[in-house]
Amino acid sequence: KSKARQKGGFLFFNTQINQQVHKDLQVESALRLALKNNEISVVYQPQILIQSGKIHGVEALVRWNSEQLGQISPVDFIGIAEDTGLIHEIGMFVLEQSLADISYFNTSQEHPIALSVNLSPRQLNAPQFVENLVTTVSQHDLDNQLITLEITESLLIEDLTYASPILQQLRDHGFNLSLDDFGTGYSSLSYLSNLPINEIKIDRSFVDKLLTSSESDNLVRAIIAIGESYRLTMVAEGVETAEQLAQLSNYHCHIAQGYYFDRPLSLTDLSHKYSAKISS
Ligand code: C2E
Ligand code: MG
Ligand code: MG
Ligand code: MG
């Protein structure tokens, strides 16, 4: 009986893999055409200064509305883009589009807002990556100091000896570096002192658990205290409730981002909501 179940389990598993491979191939071929067909766009999620309630900046998030496959989440295509090398083109598109959009947005602002862009560690492997980035940014009206590059720690740590000097060059050019999804990967305290980062984004899974137990509250409080001791800017992602925000404020977290404030917004919606607010 147990053998049959095993066999059934194996077959089921196998079919699942086949379906996944088939889906990945479909996504890959559609993705190759997506940039050409204007299916890729960028939305912006505000990052709010917890103390003042004012907007600090936005995180650029890629969107893909495929004619063949419908709306596809970056979670389902960034990995494929990384494996196929398409991440270089997509990453450059997101950078150019967001630089253009936010420098335009800033023309209506008394104080310019900052821009965070997600960077795949794979992009660091491109020849002349730093030079290309610097050139691209210099073609827009946004200071390097206003730009943060977010990198998730998991892929970064795989290739640390290669990535470290490149990250340092980026810092030397004035860009800010943020460790994204902090706490989900191989987070080791030694990385915090060895990597040239100046910001940590506390993963949503920790923010989610705030106020559910004193253990999880203490964990978030400890992460913020550690970041503080390294003089890092602490950003909480996935803030959904006023209670979570209040607790983060109690723990002296600097910046919050999440549905409590805004979903990721089109440039138009961002302008409608935040242009008037800032000047008032
Ligand atoms: P991330 O960088 O950690 O971005 C945060 C994700 O959480 C976004 O999902 C955002 O829409 C979502 N989010 C924000 N606030 C809340 C909230 O309050 N509740 C919940 N449940 N979710 C919230 P999204 O846009 O689907 O992006 C997923 C991931 O895909 C990103 O995670 C990032 O790792 C990656 N990604 C997105 N855009 C890019 C890009 O341009 N380049 C690269 N390399 N990766 C990207
Ligand atoms: Mg991010
Ligand atoms: Mg994140
Ligand atoms: Mg995340």
Side-chain angles (χ1 to χ4, degrees), residues 135-149:
T135 307
T136 303
V137 172
S138 72
Q139 287 158 353
H140 294 87
D141 193 13
L142 208 64
D143 288 348
N144 295 2
Q145 283 80 3
L146 282 174
I147 296 170
T148 297
L149 305 167

Side-chain angles (χ1 to χ4, degrees), residues 14 20 29 51 56 62 72 87 90 112 118 143-144 153 167 176 195 207 231-232 237 246 267:
N14 215 356
Q20 189 59 47
S29 65
Q51 275 206 350
H56 162 74
V62 69
I72 302 183
I87 193 66
I90 293 173
N118 292 286
D143 288 348
N144 295 2
E153 56 179 346
L167 296 181
N176 302 292
L195 284 173
V207 174
R231 296 175 197 285
L232 305 173
E237 63 176 26
L267 176 65

Side-chain angles (χ1 to χ4, degrees), residues 59-61 116-118 150-152 180-181 201 237 257:
E59 176 178 15
L61 294 159
S116 286
V117 178
N118 292 286
E150 297 188 4
I151 309 185
T152 47
D180 204 347
D181 300 344
K201 292 191 84 171
E237 63 176 26
Q257 177 182 348

Side-chain angles (χ1 to χ4, degrees), residues 40-274:
I40 306 285
S41 60
V42 185
V43 289
Y44 302 97
Q45 189 175 35
Q47 300 185 323
I48 307 297
L49 292 162
I50 292 179
Q51 275 206 350
S52 66
K54 289 187 173 155
I55 187 169
H56 162 74
V58 291
E59 176 178 15
L61 294 159
V62 69
R63 290 293 176 263
W64 179 20
N65 190 5
S66 162
E67 190 181 347
Q68 291 175 46
L69 305 166
Q71 193 78 40
I72 302 183
S73 160
V75 177
D76 294 323
F77 72 84
I78 290 294
I80 293 170
E82 285 173 338
D83 292 345
T84 54
L86 287 165
I87 193 66
H88 299 287
E89 271 174 87
I90 293 173
M92 204 34 98
F93 173 82
V94 171
L95 183 71
E96 299 240 22
Q97 184 71 54
S98 59
L99 284 166
D101 286 351
I102 299 311
S103 52
Y104 170 76
F105 175 87
N106 279 340
T107 59
S108 72
Q109 304 303 305
E110 202 178 329
H111 303 290
I113 65 164
L115 171 65
S116 286
V117 178
N118 292 286
L119 206 64
S120 163
R122 297 271 183 274
Q123 290 177 261
L124 301 176
N125 296 326
Q128 261 99 52
F129 173 74
V130 177
E131 289 84 346
N132 287 341
L133 184 80
V134 169
T135 307
T136 303
V137 172
S138 72
Q139 287 158 353
H140 294 87
D141 193 13
L142 208 64
D143 288 348
N144 295 2
Q145 283 80 3
L146 282 174
I147 296 170
T148 297
L149 305 167
E150 297 188 4
I151 309 185
T152 47
E153 56 179 346
S154 46
L155 282 173
L156 189 65
I157 303 309
E158 277 175 27
D159 216 352
L160 208 56
T161 36
Y162 179 78
S164 263
I166 297 179
L167 296 181
Q168 187 57 56
Q169 290 173 41
L170 292 169
R171 282 294 294 138
D172 293 344
H173 278 100
F175 298 109
N176 302 292
L177 296 177
S178 180
L179 213 46
D180 204 347
D181 300 344
F182 184 79
T184 58
Y186 300 85
S187 330
S188 148
L189 295 185
S190 67
Y191 297 136
L192 294 183
S193 48
N194 295 336
L195 284 173
I197 53 161
N198 47 354
E199 181 183 285
I200 281 178
K201 292 191 84 171
I202 304 168
D203 191 67
R204 188 170 82 217
S205 56
F206 298 101
V207 174
D208 257 353
K209 291 200 191 76
L210 275 175
L211 303 141
T212 64
S213 75
S214 55
E215 285 85 356
S216 37
D217 279 25
N218 286 337
L219 185 57
V220 171
R221 197 213 314 250
I223 293 173
I224 294 169
I226 289 164
E228 194 90 294
S229 75
Y230 285 100
R231 296 175 197 285
L232 305 173
T233 301
M234 301 303 293
V235 180
E237 63 176 26
V239 178
E240 293 185 351
T241 69
E243 291 76 16
Q244 290 168 346
L245 177 64
Q247 198 68 315
L248 290 162
S249 174
N250 288 337
Y251 299 158
H252 303 113
C253 186
H254 305 113
I255 292 171
Q257 177 182 348
Y259 297 167
Y260 175 68
F261 298 103
D262 298 284
R263 302 246 160 187
L265 306 170
S266 67
L267 176 65
T268 309
D269 290 344
L270 178 76
S271 302
H272 282 145
K273 182 156 179 204
Y274 283 95

